[in-house]
Structure formats: C-alpha cells, structure tokens
C-alpha cells in the first residue's frame, strides 16, 4: 500500500483463505496495527480468534524483509504461516475512509511505439510514487480500441481512425497504477497530449521524452474514476482481453520481492541492454495450487522447494516472454540459452563473485529471493509459457 496513516490504531480487512483439505473457502477478518506492524485474525463465521496478535516480521521467514502492513490492501494476497489469504474488501467504514484515498487507481495503455521505452517509463512511475497494481501486454483489435477511446471523447472525432491505428499497430501494455490522487498524478507525469506542447511546457514529462506525434504520444489514459474502473475491469478482472504472447521466446518470471522493491523497470533495462526484446508481459498473483504445479519439477529434487513456493505466492509476479535479438530467426532455444546466461547462477552470492553483471547478481538477495526465474530446460519452454500466459489467471 502506498501509505497507511500511522496515527490510526487499527485497520480492518475482509479476507478469504481456501482450505485445500476441506475444498472450501473460509472468510476471515484481518486486523492490522501499523504502529507495531502486527496483525490478528478472526474466523468470521465462528466469531472466534484464529490467530492472536503477532508481529508480521515473524510470520514468514522467507518473506520477512517485506512483510509489513504496507503490503496489506484490498486485492493483495498475504502469506501467513504458509496460508494464502486473499484480501477482498474493507471490513469497516473507518478503514475504507482512511485508506481508499491513499490507494486510488489509475489506468493507462502504453502504445506500441512506446514499448521499447517500457523500462524508463516504469521507473518514472516508480520515482513519482505510482505503484504497479497490474499489467498485461495485449494486442487490441480495431473494435476494442474504438470502444476504449470513445469513453474519453464527447463525440466522434475525425481523428478516431488515427488514434485507433496508434494503439493497434502492435502489442500495447495495459497498466493499473496505484497511488495517492493517482489519476491526477498520472496525467501530470504523462504531460500534455501533444508531445510538442509537452516539450515546451513539461520537458520532464513522459510524452516530452518519448512522444513522437499527437497520435504516437506514448499512452492512452483514463481521465476519470468512472472510465478507470471500466477499463481495469475490462482488461484485468473480467479477462475480456487475453494476454499477448508469441510463443517464440523463453519465459522469465520476476519474483515478488523484486516487484515489490520496484525493480521491474531496472530488470527490463538490463534485458534491453543485453540485446533482448520483451514480447509479452503479465502480472499475476499466483495461487498456491498453480504455483505447486508450476514448480513441480523441483519437488523432491531441490531442498528449497517449499520455500520457493512460499516466495512465489508472497506477492505479485511478472511473467516476461524474452526473445534474443542476436539471431535473424526467432528461436526459443537460442533465446533460452542466451537468457539463462544473463540471469546468472541461482545463488546471488555466487553470481556476484563470478558473474557480477547478471540479473541475479544485481537484484538477488539469496537463493530463494534471487530476483528472477527462468525456464531450466528448452523442452519446457512451450509448457511454461502456456501455463503462465494462457492457463493461469
């Protein structure tokens, strides 16, 4: 969460936990105490204490460095003693009043021409205190693009065909952003619609830096809370727009600790700098069952398997399809081999000693929180891409 008011004693959230053994979803109330960074949990049905008040930083040994009250918000997934709680709503009006304004949603769509600048744009959002709540690379058809644009137009504009062309000529990146006064802040960060005006009036804005014309002006964004809600629901909740993936590259998954630490843009920068393209992107909170299935190859082989699962479900992951630009032919096998070299050894400490320029050397913390997962075997590339981008939601 972008901010919790520390002077307030308690915040209360509704949460669900899927109990696998009973094949049922159980409702809970989670009370958060920001002053000492602790939580208590009540079973909503029985009205009984489920977990007495405990400090968050003792609940999850794998994730203790980031287990803070700031990560508890509506829509989050919280891992406590191996149980994955889905935070579904505010449990009282006081909590809603105090916190909702600090986590306003904003929506924008990075246009195809701006995809090569994704790393820099994401880092500017981060530096301006906008947090990525969701992202998905998509390929819009003309009908879908027209509906999206018409929400922001008072009447049918003669420029509509050009605007539609600007967001359908290739994959675009849909983003849900969070922050205080997020819609107003996003508009300020992007700058005026015309990049020429932006360069004159707001030279540090995103459109001033990366915009090319009135139509190739980096991004479309929702300018009201109503259209923001419609677009977020359309792109992320109702899954009416499927994620784009070519199936010609290899899979990388940026792990939760790196995403929560704001390192996604930095990792994409390294990928670009080393002559790779990101051809698909999708943020996902992995369900425990899906995660266990995805990592099954390590079960009984890697002693860290259970900790790996806990890390994957501890927060948002971002899957990337990576294609090497070193070959004229898009080859998943070559992309896989080259990208594994860029990731470096699994243990970041070893990576820092022998491969200091690799992703894990720069952003990994330990063997579990090692910044990025990459497909181990070439034969598993298609399976893993299919699972992350097409099967798992």
């Amino acid at each position: 969460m972008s901010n919790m008011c520390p002077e307030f004693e308690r915040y209360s959230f509704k949460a669900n936990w899927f109990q696998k053994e009973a094949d049922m979803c159980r409702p809970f109330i989670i009370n958060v105490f920001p002053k000492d960074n602790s939580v208590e949990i009540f079973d909503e049905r029985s009205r009984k204490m489920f977990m007495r008040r405990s400090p968050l930083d003792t609940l999850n040994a794998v994730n203790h460095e980031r287990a803070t009250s700031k990560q508890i918000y509506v829509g989050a997934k919280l891992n406590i003693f191996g149980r994955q709680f889905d935070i579904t709503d505010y449990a009282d009006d006081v909590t809603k009043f105090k916190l909702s304004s600090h986590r306003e949603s904003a929506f924008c769509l990075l246009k195809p021409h701006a995809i090569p600048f994704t790393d820099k744009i994401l880092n500017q959002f981060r530096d301006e205190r906008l947090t990525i709540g969701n992202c998905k690379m998509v390929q819009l058809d003309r009908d879908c693009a027209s509906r999206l644009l018409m929400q922001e137009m008072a009447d049918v504009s003669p420029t509509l065909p050009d605007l539609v062309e600007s967001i359908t000529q290739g994959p675009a990146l849909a983003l849900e952003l969070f922050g205080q006064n997020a819609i107003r802040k996003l508009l300020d960060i992007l700058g005026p619609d015309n990049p020429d005006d932006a360069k004159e009036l707001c030279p540090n804005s995103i459109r001033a830096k990366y915009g090319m014309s009135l139509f190739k002006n980096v991004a479309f964004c929702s300018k009201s809370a109503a259209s923001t809600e419609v677009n977020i629901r359309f792109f992320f909740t109702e899954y009416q727009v499927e994620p784009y993936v070519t199936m010609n590259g290899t899979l990388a998954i940026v792990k939760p600790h790196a995403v929560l630490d704001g390192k996604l843009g930095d990792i994409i920068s390294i990928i670009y700098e080393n002559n790779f393209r990101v051809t698909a992107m999708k943020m996902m909170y992995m369900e425990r069952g899906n995660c266990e299935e995805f990592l099954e190859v390590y079960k009984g082989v890697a002693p860290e398997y259970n900790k790996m699962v806990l890390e994957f479900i501890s927060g948002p992951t971002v899957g990337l399809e990576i294609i090497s630009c070193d070959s004229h032919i898009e080859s998943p096998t070559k992309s896989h081999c080259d990208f594994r070299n860029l990731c470096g050894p699994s243990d970041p400490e070893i990576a820092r000693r022998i491969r200091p320029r690799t992703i894990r050397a720069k952003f990994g913390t330990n063997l579990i929180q090692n910044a990025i997962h990459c497909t181990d075997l070439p034969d598993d590339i298609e399976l893993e891409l299919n699972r992350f981008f097409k099967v798992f939601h």
Side-chain angles (χ1 to χ4, degrees):
M1 181 177 292
S2 59
N3 194 0
M4 271 196 176
C5 310
E7 71 277 6
F8 192 63
E9 181 181 355
R10 187 196 72 182
Y11 298 94
S12 190
F13 299 89
K14 292 184 178 182
N16 289 328
W17 167 48
F18 180 74
Q19 189 174 10
K20 187 175 180 180
E21 296 79 7
D23 193 27
M24 63 180 292
C25 197
R26 295 176 56 183
F28 292 87
I29 299 294
I30 298 181
N31 293 325
V32 184
F33 302 87
K35 186 173 182 180
D36 63 358
N37 203 42
S38 63
V39 297
E40 64 184 7
I41 304 177
F42 289 88
D43 188 311
E44 190 173 12
R45 287 176 179 164
S46 68
R47 303 289 181 181
K48 292 182 179 179
M49 177 77 72
F50 183 77
M51 188 190 81
R52 296 188 181 277
R53 185 169 171 178
S54 303
L56 269 169
D57 60 5
T58 67
L59 299 181
N60 184 355
V62 174
N63 196 34
H64 70 277
E65 293 170 346
R66 300 180 326 289
T68 72
S69 57
K70 293 182 179 180
Q71 265 70 63
I72 306 178
Y73 52 84
V74 175
K77 293 181 184 290
L78 184 66
N79 186 48
I80 298 179
F81 288 133
R83 296 182 177 92
Q84 189 178 59
F85 291 88
D86 296 328
I87 310 300
T88 59
D89 201 355
Y90 302 108
D92 57 47
D93 290 337
V94 175
T95 300
K96 183 175 182 179
F97 175 77
K98 289 282 187 178
L99 297 184
S100 58
S101 65
H102 291 279
R103 196 172 171 81
E104 182 180 82
S105 297
F107 172 84
C108 81
L109 184 78
L110 296 190
K111 297 182 179 182
H113 81 90
I115 295 301
F117 310 111
T118 298
D119 56 332
K120 297 178 177 63
I121 293 169
L122 295 184
N123 281 343
Q124 189 159 343
F125 287 155
R126 176 200 63 196
D127 295 343
E128 298 285 349
R129 302 178 70 84
L130 284 179
T131 301
I132 302 171
N134 216 331
C135 66
K136 183 195 294 183
M137 194 171 285
V138 296
Q139 176 67 69
L140 298 179
D141 60 35
R142 299 185 70 84
D143 288 342
C144 182
S146 296
R147 292 199 302 272
L148 178 72
L149 293 165
M150 285 294 292
Q151 292 181 66
E152 304 296 334
M153 294 180 176
D155 50 29
V156 177
S157 168
T159 63
L160 182 61
D162 293 315
L163 289 169
V164 168
E165 175 67 19
S166 74
I167 61 176
T168 59
Q169 59 186 203
L173 182 63
L175 289 161
E176 179 184 13
L177 301 166
F178 289 118
Q180 191 166 11
N181 300 317
I183 296 173
R184 180 69 262 167
K185 182 175 288 187
L186 174 61
L187 292 171
D188 290 342
I189 295 170
L190 290 175
D193 288 344
N194 192 324
D196 291 335
D197 295 337
K199 289 170 185 174
E200 182 178 347
L201 301 172
C202 307
N204 291 321
S205 67
I206 287 174
R207 286 184 173 129
K209 294 176 180 177
Y210 313 114
M212 299 177 181
S213 67
L214 181 59
F215 304 116
K216 292 186 176 182
N217 64 347
V218 179
F220 161 87
C221 69
S222 299
K223 297 180 181 179
S224 69
S227 63
T228 295
E229 182 179 353
V230 168
N231 287 327
I232 288 173
R233 187 167 63 247
F234 183 73
F235 279 90
F236 300 115
T237 305
E238 298 175 353
Y239 302 109
Q240 294 189 42
V241 181
E242 292 297 320
Y244 176 81
V245 60
T246 72
M247 301 299 290
N248 289 323
T250 190
L251 177 69
I253 300 177
V254 182
K255 294 187 175 182
H257 76 95
V259 176
L260 291 172
D261 288 344
K263 301 302 183 184
L264 177 60
D266 295 325
I267 290 173
I268 294 175
S269 288
I270 292 181
I271 292 170
Y272 285 169
E273 290 165 5
N274 283 271
N275 213 19
F276 293 91
R277 289 185 293 134
V278 174
T279 51
M281 186 184 308
K282 174 186 171 185
M283 178 178 278
M284 180 169 60
Y285 287 83
M286 295 187 74
E287 299 289 347
R288 182 166 189 138
N290 288 344
C291 186
E292 289 173 343
E293 177 186 345
F294 188 83
L295 297 174
E296 189 175 15
V297 65
Y298 301 102
K299 190 174 183 179
V301 177
E304 305 85 9
Y305 168 76
N306 288 329
K307 291 182 178 180
M308 291 167 66
V309 171
L310 289 178
E311 168 59 22
F312 265 77
I313 66 174
S314 67
T317 60
V318 176
L320 307 170
E321 184 188 37
I322 308 293
I323 291 181
S324 173
C325 300
D326 284 341
S327 174
H328 294 298
I329 301 174
E330 291 185 350
S331 166
T333 301
K334 176 171 176 52
S335 297
H336 165 268
C337 180
D338 292 349
F339 187 69
R340 280 186 60 80
N341 288 333
L342 179 60
C343 289
S346 296
D347 189 329
E349 288 300 325
I350 296 174
R352 280 188 275 272
R353 289 200 298 270
I354 66 174
R355 303 281 301 284
R357 296 181 180 273
T358 59
I359 293 173
R360 288 170 175 153
K362 293 185 176 183
F363 303 109
T365 302
N366 54 47
L367 187 59
I368 305 303
Q369 295 179 336
N370 62 354
I372 198 162
H373 163 88
C374 57
T375 302
D376 277 339
L377 302 174
D379 290 346
D380 293 335
I381 294 172
E382 184 176 354
L383 175 64
E384 291 200 359
L385 283 171
N386 189 62
R387 279 179 173 174
F388 196 93
F389 286 99
K390 297 184 178 181
V391 178
F392 296 159
H393 292 293

